[in-house]
Amino acid sequence: MPFRTIIEPFRIKSIEPVSFTTREQREKLLSAAHYNLFLLAAKDVLIDLLTDSGTGAMSTRQWAGVMEGDESYAGSPSFDHFKHSVQDIFGYKHVIPTHQGRAAERILFNVMCKGGDVVPNNTHFDTTRANVEFVGAEALDLPRSEARQPGTILPFKGDMNVEALEQVIARVGRERIPLVMLTVTNNSGGGQPVSMANARAVSELCHRNEIPLYFDACRFAENAYFIKLREPGYADKSPKEIAQEMFSLGDGCTMSAKKDGMANIGGFLCTNDDVLARQQENLLILTDGYPTYGGLAGRDLEAIAVGLQESLHEDYLRYRIASTAYLGNHISERGVPIVLPPGGHAIYIDAKAFLPHVPAEQFPGVALAAELYLEGGIRSVEIGSLMFAKAAQMELVRLAIPRRVYTQSHIDYVVEIILRVWGQRERIKGMRLTYEAPFLRHFTAHLEPVV
Ligand SMILES: Cc1ncc(COP(=O)(O)O)c(C=O)c1O
């Protein structure tokens, strides 16, 4: 870049006010929400970094597409726009629209898997894992060994461990592995990218064993840009060319268009297999809708058709990746422990290292997330012992950045608040559970500070 300042590659045409609260008000609001940020009203949050899913801002072209959406039940031209846009990037023969990513996952695993099967992935996202397990199959994570070391800096920390995959195929047999998945970028592994070399090695191994490879493509554009920046031989290729090359290595994909589809809702499932596509469409009709809308309105299909292409614009990706890295680097330089290097869509603070005096049973991630809200009205999410109980590998707080929503001054504010909380970390207390639901407890749990 010829200049240091990160500028948003857009102007603002329509604004949405955010509401300021005092610390005293936030103390009352947090206590009423039982120290669980999911239970806060969004209007009481100043900067909402809970998720980057479905929270992005749409462009004027997307809004124009919304107005042009054709709501015919069958054969809508909006479906044709959507299908052409998806095929232009992903290249797969069949495109099945779904209402979001997990609906695509449910259909895929219902059609391809049965009890006793094994589905390897670099790291399953939680809905992916749940949908694999729902059909009685085993969801197996095979990340590279360094993926769980927050401080280790590698260009492609999201890669799959190819040797481990080879061993799994030899151990369980290819008949019990109906497909392999590769999640780009690896969300649960810190938003880290997967290299083209790794995708190619996984693809070759799968195809040698006649196992189909599917991508979980949610953040494919961010992944493509990391390849352009970091992988030898890709600097002169466009993000779109890189994405096309990556998807040519697979047999299909699932996608949540709420991420790099730049839309507020939607998703899709793609496959090259005619027989599977027919079965998938039949399941879609049962629960989501007719195959030319799949649970979406025609206007949603138009927004996704445009959004997918916009997510690959280089000006946008340069800003997106630089802005996330800016947040990560500015707090990391001052000693705040984070998962390094900064990922594409989020910064993950290592709450265990941030609060070494708070044991895992006292939920350091929840305590830190609560403090960021109290100090500055920032909402983040714990990814640790509250979310995963005994299966937690790390104690993280994720700050996910919605696409095209916050400006650099908002990001500067987030840096300021995190550094302030860092300066007062010794006085932050752990938390105790007072209520938990039997499953997915983090959404509804009640907690209180340990006195
Ligand atoms: C990697 C990954 N896969 C799948 C999903 C599920 O998508 P959705 O929330 O649209 O169901 C998500 C959502 O966050 C994700 O990050």
Side-chain angles (χ1 to χ4, degrees), residues 142-145 159-171 198 201-202 205 208:
L142 300 176
R144 62 185 295 169
S145 53
D159 282 353
M160 181 179 261
N161 184 335
V162 185
E163 261 173 43
L165 177 62
E166 200 158 12
Q167 284 160 12
V168 170
I169 297 173
R171 180 168 55 84
N198 186 252
V202 172
L205 178 58
R208 226 183 306 135

Side-chain angles (χ1 to χ4, degrees), residues 114-126:
K114 57 180 184 333
D117 285 346
V118 177
V119 180
N121 196 323
N122 44 349
T123 309
H124 288 83
F125 181 66
D126 55 9

Side-chain angles (χ1 to χ4, degrees), residues 437-451:
F439 47 84
L440 294 175
R441 63 179 184 175
H442 54 290
F443 288 121
T444 53
H446 292 180
L447 300 106
E448 65 184 15
V450 176
V451 225

Side-chain angles (χ1 to χ4, degrees), residues 100-102 105 125 127 183 187 216 218-219 256 258-259:
Q100 59 184 81
R102 67 198 70 186
E105 292 165 356
F125 181 66
T127 60
T183 304
N187 181 5
D216 176 339
C218 294
R219 299 179 180 82
S256 167
K258 299 170 75 172
K259 285 87 174 175

